Amino acid sequence: MPPPRWQRIALAVTMFFITGVFGFLQPFVALYVAAAGIDKAQFGLMTAIGTATALLVQPLLGKLSDRLDARRPLMVAAAIAAGCAYLAYRAADDFLSFTLLTALGVNGFQYLNSAGGVLVGRMVATSAARGGGASYVRYRVWGSVGYVIVAMTAGSLVRSSIAGETARADLDPVFTYGPLLFFIIGALSLLVPDGRTPAAASAAHGDAATEAAAKAADGDAARNRFRFLTAYFLYQFGLYGASQFLPMFMAELGGAAWVPRMFAAGVVCEVLVMSQVGRWTDRYGRRPALALAFLLMPLRLLLYIPATSPLWVLMVQTLHGINFGVIGTIAVVFINDTATNRDRGTAQAQLAASAGLGLSLGPLVCGLIAERFGIRAMFGAMSGVGVLAAILFLAYVRESHAGAEMPRHRLLRALARPWLS
């Protein structure tokens, strides 16, 4: 039986705020720490150390949630931890303190984000839905709406132009009110649907032959998941390593005040893509849509290089609608396809850990390149990483949705099949 309507509404509102908080983190963390005297290389190292802890913490949290067969307690704890960490940004004054707070905040946010995918995946698995794409998007799209609202609201909190010695004081209101959203998430997490796995679902498959076939299928799915996570790591490494420096790039172009508008423009396009991609992948499979996103990523990074104005960067950023509109939703659905209720928390934690590895090493390498050769050279280098990610995905990753139809368009049919079996 599906959960009651009020619980489904609570989940949608929770996901609204979970992604919404990224609306103040993504545009303003880089600017805030730069105003505190952290240079590009230090910022990259700070982000790397902070998010690298996700490699250890997220799998443990995923296994713990599967063992407890409960997500609410961990969501509440993660929300409180992240809220306290980002509130404490105002008291931080050196590299070490910012690094420790970032590690705590990132892990709290990462778990909240992956828990949403687990909760929707469990509902889809116990319903008669043909595929989880449209189901997940129906909830996740509210997060993108929340992002736009929070980003624009956070931009209005900035007291004056982000420049000069008073820049940190200008940004203080963002880190006074923004982190309070995490405490709202903590309260809402007590209301989300989080029913336990039925005993029948935990039982053995039946006779020995059926059980052996099920284990073999699970093994194939796990291997395909590993191949996807490898490509996904490189994608995160390249795109989000470079994206960490977009606020600084905008400031160099004289458009620091454009930063929240730039990110909001990409998310508006993201909502438009999300409104269609879930249903489309339920019919034609996850792989063609994911392949297009992987192919677009290196091109997008190259387009930042010749930018001469903040408007140019804003226009290129609209391509984020295709990148995150697909990857941000269908990657979660792909992982859900390869898991069951017994290990869905662990599988989503693996996705979070893969992202954490990319988000730790990416900014570190990007910071070193940007500090020595400039941000434009960094975009070029990360475009090369994106090409490698696309090759790995196209060559090795198979379709995860068993009921997918073959697309009619010749290009999409080609993208639906891996180059190598």
Side-chain angles (χ1 to χ4, degrees):
M1 291 291 292
R5 178 180 172 83
W6 67 268
Q7 284 193 324
R8 299 198 300 271
I9 293 174
L11 179 57
V13 176
T14 302
M15 295 183 77
F16 171 95
F17 283 108
I18 289 174
T19 309
V21 296
F22 205 48
F24 85 86
L25 296 176
Q26 188 178 42
F28 293 109
V29 165
L31 294 175
Y32 194 78
V33 298
I38 305 296
D39 64 29
K40 295 183 183 69
Q42 288 178 314
F43 173 68
L45 180 59
M46 176 196 89
T47 306
I49 295 172
T51 55
T53 59
L55 293 173
L56 299 174
V57 175
Q58 295 304 313
L60 292 177
L61 292 177
K63 288 182 180 297
L64 179 59
S65 70
D66 283 339
R67 177 164 294 184
L68 296 174
D69 200 12
R71 278 127 298 270
R72 285 179 190 157
L74 295 179
M75 291 177 72
V76 173
I80 293 173
C84 291
Y86 289 115
L87 272 176
Y89 254 43
R90 291 190 58 185
D93 57 5
D94 58 19
F95 171 80
L96 179 60
S97 56
F98 274 118
T99 300
L100 292 175
L101 293 173
T102 300
L104 185 60
V106 166
N107 272 282
F109 174 78
Q110 286 271 28
Y111 181 76
L112 291 169
N113 201 42
S114 62
V118 174
L119 292 174
V120 176
R122 288 169 64 86
M123 287 193 296
V124 172
T126 56
S127 72
R130 183 175 179 220
S135 298
Y136 180 69
V137 166
R138 276 199 300 271
Y139 291 94
R140 177 57 183 78
V141 72
W142 290 107
S144 297
V145 175
Y147 182 105
V148 174
I149 294 173
V150 171
M152 300 308 295
T153 303
S156 71
L157 292 175
V158 179
R159 290 174 181 153
S160 61
S161 61
I162 306 169
E165 296 181 358
T166 60
R168 183 169 181 177
D170 292 338
L171 288 163
D172 275 344
V174 176
F175 288 90
T176 299
Y177 300 106
L180 300 180
L181 296 174
F182 280 106
F183 300 106
I184 296 175
I185 294 169
L188 288 168
S189 296
L190 297 172
L191 306 176
V192 298
D194 191 22
R196 291 185 175 276
T197 303
S202 307
H205 292 287
D207 60 68
T210 302
E211 186 172 352
K215 286 182 178 179
D218 289 347
D220 288 342
R223 284 188 289 273
N224 195 40
R225 184 195 311 157
F226 175 78
R227 290 191 289 265
F228 172 76
L229 290 176
T230 303
Y232 180 78
F233 155 71
L234 291 172
Y235 179 98
Q236 296 283 328
F237 178 100
L239 180 56
Y240 292 101
S243 295
Q244 295 284 345
F245 295 87
L246 276 175
M248 296 181 184
F249 189 49
M250 289 287 273
E252 289 182 4
L253 294 172
W258 287 58
V259 169
R261 286 175 254 168
M262 172 192 68
F263 285 116
V267 177
V268 169
C269 296
E270 167 189 312
V271 172
L272 298 176
V273 172
M274 282 185 182
S275 66
Q276 301 299 320
V277 73
R279 287 193 301 262
W280 195 91
T281 63
D282 282 345
R283 180 173 181 180
Y284 296 113
R286 323 301 182 199
R287 184 182 154 84
L290 288 168
L292 288 175
F294 270 90
L295 289 169
L296 177 64
M297 187 272 270
L299 175 61
R300 172 183 162 192
L301 292 180
L302 287 177
L303 290 174
Y304 287 123
I305 295 175
T308 56
S309 69
L311 180 60
W312 183 306
V313 179
L314 185 149
M315 296 301 292
V316 176
Q317 184 66 16
T318 60
L319 294 176
H320 180 76
I322 298 176
N323 280 134
F324 194 82
V326 175
I327 295 290
T329 53
I330 305 307
V332 173
V333 177
F334 184 100
I335 296 300
N336 276 337
D337 287 344
T338 67
T340 68
N341 280 343
R342 298 188 306 277
D343 63 350
R344 187 161 281 116
T346 301
Q348 290 294 342
Q350 290 170 351
L351 182 70
S354 178
L357 180 60
L359 288 170
S360 61
L361 297 180
L364 174 61
V365 174
C366 287
L368 294 173
I369 296 173
E371 189 67 26
R372 182 164 184 178
F373 301 105
I375 291 180
R376 296 175 196 270
M378 179 266 294
F379 284 134
M382 293 304 103
S383 178
V385 174
V387 170
L388 178 58
I391 291 173
L392 287 176
F393 179 87
L394 293 170
Y396 294 106
V397 177
R398 301 195 308 273
E399 178 58 58
S400 65
H401 181 29
E405 299 177 16
M406 183 60 68
R408 295 186 182 89
H409 193 280
R410 183 178 298 176
L411 173 61
L412 294 178
R413 288 175 69 90
L415 294 179
R417 299 188 182 95
W419 295 346
L420 302 173
S421 58

